[in-house]
Amino acid sequence: MTEQLSALVTGASRGIGFGIAERLASRGYALTIAARDAAALSETAGRLRAVGAPSVVEVPGDLADPDHTAALARAHAQRFGHLSCLVLNAGVGTAGGISEFSPRRLDKTIAVNLRAPFVLLQHCLPLLRAAAGYDPNRGARVIALASITGMFAESGLAAYGATKAALLSLVETLNVEESPRGVTATALAPGYVETDMTDWVRDQVPATEMIPVGDLVELVDAIISLSARSVVSRLVISRAGGPAYGA
């Protein structure tokens, strides 16, 4: 196995995913990146190489497709053979009250926000264990983008919040099961972050009051610098001046 650090980042072509991928690239990580738009992903790969990624594997596809998670893990394994950091970032944001939320939208939300991260994690565990075995002090890290709505109820975000609550639970269970092997996970649970996913709420929460992507990147940078002996299951990030228990 090579000593090279490697990471797999979903939703890497924009927003939080790109910010994290860019920081990992600047720290010398080789990357596998995923997003739906192949052209955007190709452009992203070039930007990541420019800031220091020694190798970038592009795997375009839709995480709602059950075959895509296996293809992602397989592509990473074939190129790198191990995985130092898995970033479960991709997700869909869907708003709507419980009474009118359609089952079809619910199925899509669960498929992308919960099923895909769960199954991708399953596929990647052997690679994460391999990286942790090679460097027991560093271990291997999983970063999952959850939401403050997974902890505190937000009107109109029942489906989204439910999937993020499940993601928080998944991370905590992973730590119970895998931290003895050096694989640890952290879920970030922010309020509204300044990305295009939050454009729909800008009339209520201006962009200048939202959490900057860069702040989440700094938290991830700190987490991946920890030793395998420290476990941080979740970090809740609320907006300054906003509700402590709301998005």
Side-chain angles (χ1 to χ4, degrees):
M1 184 195 307
T2 176
E3 295 184 37
Q4 185 179 68
L5 295 171
S6 68
L8 191 163
V9 184
T10 64
S13 64
R14 57 182 181 155
I16 299 168
F18 175 74
I20 295 172
E22 186 178 42
R23 177 59 61 89
L24 292 169
S26 73
R27 290 187 58 157
Y29 280 71
L31 295 166
T32 297
I33 56 173
R36 286 179 296 174
D37 188 327
L41 201 61
S42 179
E43 180 184 349
T44 298
R47 294 169 68 183
L48 295 175
R49 292 186 187 98
V51 297
S55 178
V56 182
V57 176
E58 306 159 38
V59 189
D62 188 347
L63 282 171
D65 176 358
D67 295 328
H68 184 50
T69 50
L72 256 177
R74 185 166 56 249
H76 187 91
Q78 289 173 348
R79 177 67 69 89
F80 305 114
H82 72 300
L83 178 59
S84 312
C85 182
L86 171 62
V87 182
L88 302 170
N89 167 72
V92 293
T94 50
I98 295 171
S99 62
E100 71 268 12
F101 206 88
S102 76
R104 184 173 181 177
R105 288 178 68 203
L106 178 62
D107 289 344
K108 177 67 178 286
T109 304
I110 292 172
V112 177
N113 290 3
L114 178 57
R115 185 190 185 281
F118 192 107
V119 176
L120 180 58
L121 179 58
Q122 286 182 317
H123 288 308
C124 289
L125 267 176
L127 300 172
L128 291 161
R129 290 169 180 164
Y134 184 85
D135 188 347
N137 183 62
R138 177 187 289 273
R141 293 279 171 180
V142 177
I143 304 293
L145 267 297
S147 167
I148 201 169
T149 63
M151 299 186 61
F152 308 112
E154 187 84 9
S155 178
L157 294 176
Y160 180 76
T163 59
K164 295 303 184 179
L167 195 59
L168 289 164
S169 177
L170 174 62
V171 162
E172 295 199 346
T173 306
L174 178 71
N175 284 329
V176 172
E177 294 180 355
E178 295 293 331
S179 62
R181 296 184 178 93
V183 179
T184 59
T186 302
L188 301 183
Y192 289 123
V193 180
E194 188 186 355
T195 69
D196 57 4
M197 280 188 67
T198 54
D199 284 346
W200 66 277
V201 77
R202 297 291 170 91
D203 58 334
Q204 303 169 48
V205 182
T208 54
E209 296 179 10
M210 293 184 180
I211 298 163
V213 168
D215 287 358
L216 300 185
V217 172
E218 293 299 332
L219 290 174
V220 171
D221 193 67
I223 291 164
I224 63 175
S225 300
L226 297 174
S227 78
R229 289 180 288 173
S230 296
V231 177
V232 182
S233 287
R234 64 178 65 176
L235 289 172
V236 181
I237 309 99
S238 57
R239 294 182 292 108
Y245 305 110

